[in-house]
Amino acid sequence: MYSKVKISSIIFLLVIIGVLIGASVSIDDEEQTSIKLIELNGNVHLPKAEYYQFANLEDATLYETLTPAIVKDRLEKHPYIQQVDVILNENTLVITIYEKKFEALIMHGNKECLVTEDNIKIPKLPHSEKIDYPIISNPLRAQKVKEFESVLSNSDIVTGLKIISTLKLIDPDLYENLSEIDLREGKDIVLQFSQFNFPIVIGRDNEIDKIMYLDQLVQSLDKKLLLNGLDYIDLRYSKHIYLGKSDENFDGAKGRNS
């Protein structure tokens, strides 16, 4: 019985060694396949050339010195990239990049940055394309949030993100037309929508409730009035919505009670 167990163990060990040797040979064969051409797919927010430049892939004569792992590692360090898949097909390295998903574009002073769906602040890079996200402008103390850090420490930015997520949830059409949330450095919040040529003032406090009131108001009002007959909508005052015209600024806007 002992000899049978011993023989079985030896056979099992030999099988394992054979598998490992086979895997090693396979890996060596893959590493010996040189890269002569690189194809990159999946880019949305930057031209392919920007990604090639970042990963030092512009000179095709250097491709033979690269491996799929090296290319993958270089690209995954890019601020816009979440994940990279690479497949070596003969001498062609096919790269598929998955960019990070963004929620908003933050503007303060002359600086612009993006916020990911994970609430991380990412620099907006030159040559960026299709950055069609709601703008959160003039948040209070925005400069204290560093790049690649969470924006959740800034209550003003959090308020802007809550407005965006509420609109996305209750009225996708209204969300798609949201152009800007002007936080006015702690003053009354003003919204701009691409479908309306007037501002919507929601003030401060109970912002989510006011967004829901706004959605109900937009659904109930005549479209001609919304498009042509208003200078502003004011939701700053509790249980009141003001529609009308005013020559005064938002710190003292007046109108007729709706």
Side-chain angles (χ1 to χ4, degrees):
M1 177 66 70
Y2 175 77
S3 61
K4 289 182 178 181
V5 172
K6 187 174 181 180
I7 292 171
S8 298
S9 299
I10 292 172
I11 293 173
F12 178 74
L13 180 60
L14 290 173
V15 171
I16 294 299
I17 292 173
V19 170
L20 292 175
I21 291 173
S24 176
V25 170
S26 176
I27 292 172
D28 288 341
D29 288 344
E30 181 177 339
E31 290 180 349
Q32 289 173 1
T33 303
S34 61
I35 301 172
K36 294 183 178 179
L37 181 65
I38 293 179
E39 296 180 1
L40 186 144
N41 305 296
N43 62 300
V44 175
H45 294 312
L46 277 177
K48 292 181 182 181
E50 294 297 313
Y51 287 122
Y52 278 94
Q53 182 179 18
F54 177 86
N56 195 21
L57 302 175
E58 295 175 297
D59 188 352
T61 63
L62 300 177
Y63 288 175
E64 293 186 355
T65 66
L66 302 174
T67 66
I70 290 174
V71 174
K72 176 181 172 69
D73 181 66
R74 288 182 184 179
L75 283 169
E76 286 186 339
K77 289 182 170 64
H78 194 283
Y80 281 12
I81 292 180
Q82 181 70 36
Q83 179 184 334
V84 177
D85 290 339
V86 292
I87 298 176
L88 185 57
N89 184 8
E90 295 182 351
N91 297 111
T92 300
L93 184 65
V94 180
I95 304 170
T96 303
I97 64 171
Y98 300 90
E99 294 175 331
K100 294 173 182 175
K101 295 181 179 179
F102 299 114
E103 288 292 316
L105 175 68
I106 296 180
M107 299 178 64
H108 55 100
N110 59 352
K111 296 183 178 179
E112 296 181 351
C113 63
L114 292 158
V115 179
T116 70
E117 63 177 2
D118 298 324
N119 304 308
I120 302 300
K121 181 180 178 181
I122 301 293
K124 179 176 176 286
L125 301 176
H127 310 294
S128 293
E129 302 174 334
K130 300 179 182 178
I131 306 295
D132 189 20
Y133 299 100
I135 296 170
I136 298 176
S137 63
N138 304 311
L140 190 64
R141 293 186 290 272
Q143 68 278 5
K144 292 188 175 182
V145 181
K146 305 302 181 183
E147 291 179 349
F148 305 107
E149 292 184 357
S150 173
V151 299
L152 297 182
S153 60
N154 185 297
S155 60
D156 232 19
I157 296 176
V158 170
T159 296
L161 292 173
K162 285 182 177 179
I163 291 172
I164 290 172
S165 60
T166 300
L167 279 171
K168 188 185 297 187
L169 180 64
I170 66 173
D171 194 333
D173 290 336
L174 201 56
Y175 160 76
E176 290 293 334
N177 284 280
L178 176 63
S179 300
E180 181 179 1
I181 301 170
D182 189 349
L183 296 168
R184 304 180 71 234
E185 297 184 340
K187 298 179 182 179
D188 287 334
I189 299 171
V190 179
L191 308 182
Q192 294 283 352
F193 290 86
S194 59
Q195 67 195 110
F196 309 136
N197 58 1
F198 54 84
I200 298 172
V201 192
I202 66 170
R204 291 280 174 169
D205 300 322
N206 303 314
E207 294 92 354
I208 304 308
D209 289 340
K210 292 173 181 177
I211 293 299
M212 298 182 73
Y213 297 151
L214 173 64
D215 177 56
Q216 296 173 14
L217 177 67
V218 169
Q219 297 299 329
S220 64
L221 284 180
D222 182 87
K223 288 186 178 180
K224 289 183 179 180
L225 177 63
L226 283 172
L227 295 175
N228 302 310
L230 292 178
D231 282 344
Y232 69 89
I233 295 178
D234 192 340
L235 295 96
R236 287 178 296 173
Y237 307 104
S238 177
K239 298 181 181 180
H240 292 85
I241 298 175
Y242 289 84
L243 311 176
K245 301 177 181 295
S246 174
D247 294 329
E248 300 185 30
N249 61 34
F250 298 132
D251 292 325
K254 297 179 181 180
R256 54 188 177 82
N257 195 339
S258 174

